[in-house]
Amino acid sequence: MANGMLDGQVALVTGATRGIGRAIAQAFKTEGAFVIGTRTRAGDDEPCDEWIVADFSDAAQIRSCARRLRDVPLPAPFESSVRRLVELPPASSRAQP
């Protein structure tokens, strides 16, 4: 039974498509977190709110994942938390293409 222990929090879960990672993502979402999951290839979108495809055994892909986090459409209460996580400026201060 969920009690909202993670309401207002953002969770970044690596390997969220199966096994322990999937169970963690589901549990965090059940508790109210906005869940961003990583996976190595496109697939089923459940249980995360947003997905980033990245292989976390590759350092270049980890850096790429951090850069892509700035483009995840976050609900307003979560944006500052994720920006601090990856040390990126807020979207409003980034140059537009």
Side-chain angles (χ1 to χ4, degrees), residues 3-51:
N3 62 17
M5 288 177 27
L6 298 175
D7 284 345
Q9 301 296 311
V10 176
L12 175 61
V13 180
T14 61
T17 58
R18 61 182 183 265
I20 293 170
R22 183 177 180 89
I24 290 168
Q26 287 172 325
F28 284 4
K29 186 149 177 80
T30 298
E31 290 296 334
F34 182 87
V35 180
I36 302 168
T38 69
R39 58 183 172 202
T40 55
R41 60 186 171 279
D44 182 18
D45 286 345
E46 199 176 334
C48 298
D49 295 296
E50 292 291 334
W51 286 97

Side-chain angles (χ1 to χ4, degrees), residues 20-84:
I20 293 170
R22 183 177 180 89
I24 290 168
Q26 287 172 325
F28 284 4
K29 186 149 177 80
T30 298
E31 290 296 334
F34 182 87
V35 180
I36 302 168
T38 69
R39 58 183 172 202
T40 55
R41 60 186 171 279
D44 182 18
D45 286 345
E46 199 176 334
C48 298
D49 295 296
E50 292 291 334
W51 286 97
I52 294 176
V53 177
D55 179 351
F56 272 62
S57 66
D58 180 324
Q61 288 193 38
I62 294 170
R63 287 189 295 276
S64 176
C65 175
R67 286 190 302 273
R68 283 182 278 164
L69 277 172
R70 70 177 164 208
D71 298 324
V72 171
L74 298 169
F78 302 118
E79 185 170 354
S80 64
S81 297
V82 171
R83 301 294 170 240
R84 283 191 309 271

Side-chain angles (χ1 to χ4, degrees), residues 80-97:
S80 64
S81 297
V82 171
R83 301 294 170 240
R84 283 191 309 271
L85 171 70
V86 296
E87 300 178 347
L88 295 170
S92 60
S93 68
R94 290 196 314 266
Q96 300 298 318

